[in-house]
Amino acid sequence: MMRFLVTGATGRVGGRAARRLIDEGHQVAAVVRRADAELPAGARPVVADLDDPDTLMVLPEVDGTFLVFPSVQADASAAAVVGALAERSPQIAYLSAAGAQDADPEGWGIMASHARLEKLITESGVRSTLLRASGFAANTLGWAPQIRADGTVRWPYGSARRALIHEDDLAAVGVRELIDHGDGSAEGVVHHLTGPQQLSQREYAAVIGEVIGRPVTYHELSVAEAMAELFGGLPADFARSILTGQAAWVDHPEPVTSTVGTLLGRPARTFAEWVADHRADFGTR
Ligand SMILES: NC(=O)c1ccc[n+]([C@@H]2O[C@H](COP(=O)([O-])OP(=O)(O)OC[C@H]3O[C@@H](n4cnc5c(N)ncnc54)[C@H](OP(=O)(O)O)[C@@H]3O)[C@@H](O)[C@H]2O)c1
């Protein structure tokens, strides 16, 4: 039995990683901000805040860490977090993003944040697994309130093509790497992980409709409509950076890789499979 630390275990990818490690018979300490946080059964809570270096001394010594980092929000603490982990853990599997390789670690924004974390981890001396993920299938949960209400998706850039990935496939790859490299002695690796298909946002909406058994209509918003309807509560610069990212996938679709299948020995899960796993979020008849 090995001991692991998991951050983000109340969230999507970290929660799946903790579940998988426990199911494989390992001990999991989960970093949580609140002692009463809801965790996968069997995970031991360790109360710390990744944005407050003074809280990190409670982190235990482990055989490996699955790190989900609050990108951008906690950037000021990134060096302290990686330093604390490197003292206690011979290896780190880090949930990064496809695109981090092109970002400036000193820059601003989500990709720069991932690039900075990647640099800190690879320079820390621990064995690193960098999980560069494509868009999450779970991003489409942002459509769920509209779909439940009237069966529409009001969103811009319907022809933007993405290779959305199931959160559990990301967790599975990270967990495999951590379990297989417990002593941290092997070379670090970088994995570009995507879903198995490249579909347009319009097609993703249609797949949701097929799986939940109710048609879903895609209503394309202009940029001005999206800024007002969808991102009104966000800082304008941040909202524009999201829209610029979406626009880019119209002419430069997210590529598909076969890495998940190669590493796990089974195909990456399709978007239809992901919807079936999250059917209740979209409302069923
Ligand atoms: N969405 C995408 O398409 C995409 C693609 C590639 C990479 N990513 C990256 O994936 C990561 C998010 O993964 P996810 O979707 O699995 O996360 P998520 O479901 O949004 O959950 C976030 C987790 O981080 C924890 N957290 C937030 N701030 C914290 C802090 N200060 N200290 C300790 N824990 C903290 C939350 O805990 P609480 O319960 O305390 O809130 C929660 O467990 C981000 O780094 C993002 O950039 C996303």
Side-chain angles (χ1 to χ4, degrees):
M1 183 178 52
M2 297 164 77
R3 297 159 307 156
F4 293 100
L5 189 67
V6 178
T7 73
T10 61
R12 283 176 283 265
V13 183
R16 294 289 190 140
R19 181 74 273 141
R20 281 181 167 274
L21 288 165
I22 293 164
D23 287 350
E24 292 207 33
H26 302 293
Q27 278 183 0
V28 169
V31 174
V32 286
R33 287 186 286 182
R34 294 164 37 132
D36 63 351
E38 201 170 317
L39 286 172
R44 176 173 70 85
V46 173
V47 179
D49 187 334
L50 298 181
D51 198 18
D52 182 355
D54 290 344
T55 66
L56 302 176
M57 64 272 270
V58 298
L59 301 183
E61 285 199 9
V62 288
D63 298 301
T65 300
F66 191 98
L67 177 62
V68 179
F69 190 75
S71 328
V72 182
Q73 293 136 266
D75 277 2
S77 308
V81 169
V82 174
L85 293 175
E87 281 173 11
R88 296 161 170 85
S89 176
Q91 49 165 347
I92 298 176
Y94 173 59
L95 178 58
S96 185
Q101 65 279 7
D102 302 320
D104 174 4
E106 309 302 324
W108 177 87
I110 292 177
M111 289 304 162
S113 175
H114 283 301
R116 192 151 47 245
L117 263 291
E118 288 192 358
K119 187 165 184 284
L120 286 165
I121 293 166
T122 50
E123 289 176 356
S124 72
V126 302
R127 177 180 191 266
S128 55
T129 296
L130 304 181
L131 307 165
R132 289 190 183 143
S134 65
F136 292 179
N139 293 348
T140 63
L141 290 172
W143 297 343
Q146 300 173 12
I147 291 173
R148 285 197 302 270
D150 61 7
T152 63
V153 169
R154 294 176 59 79
W155 210 258
Y157 303 118
S159 57
R161 298 180 75 77
R162 306 206 63 187
L164 300 181
I165 186 165
H166 196 305
E167 58 273 10
D168 194 48
D169 283 348
L170 291 167
V173 171
V175 161
R176 207 59 277 136
E177 288 283 353
L178 288 173
I179 291 174
D180 290 351
H181 299 96
D183 63 1
S185 61
E187 282 288 297
V189 285
V190 180
H191 295 312
H192 183 179
L193 304 168
T194 76
Q197 311 149 284
Q198 189 189 72
L199 301 179
S200 68
Q201 306 217 78
R202 200 178 286 280
E203 289 166 331
Y204 279 118
V207 171
I208 295 172
E210 283 159 24
V211 175
I212 67 174
R214 262 186 357 258
V216 171
T217 309
Y218 197 98
H219 178 94
E220 175 130 355
L221 296 184
S222 68
V223 169
E225 286 170 329
M227 286 291 280
E229 273 189 41
L230 305 175
F231 304 120
L234 294 178
D237 275 1
F238 189 62
R240 265 193 290 274
S241 75
I242 295 174
L243 286 170
T244 304
Q246 304 239 330
W249 297 314
V250 174
D251 292 329
H252 304 285
E254 230 174 17
V256 172
T257 70
S258 54
T259 314
V260 170
T262 306
L263 294 174
L264 298 181
R266 57 144 178 94
R269 270 168 282 185
T270 64
F271 185 66
E273 289 174 288
W274 178 87
V275 179
D277 287 346
H278 297 77
R279 204 185 296 264
D281 292 305
F282 296 102
T284 44
R285 259 199 280 244

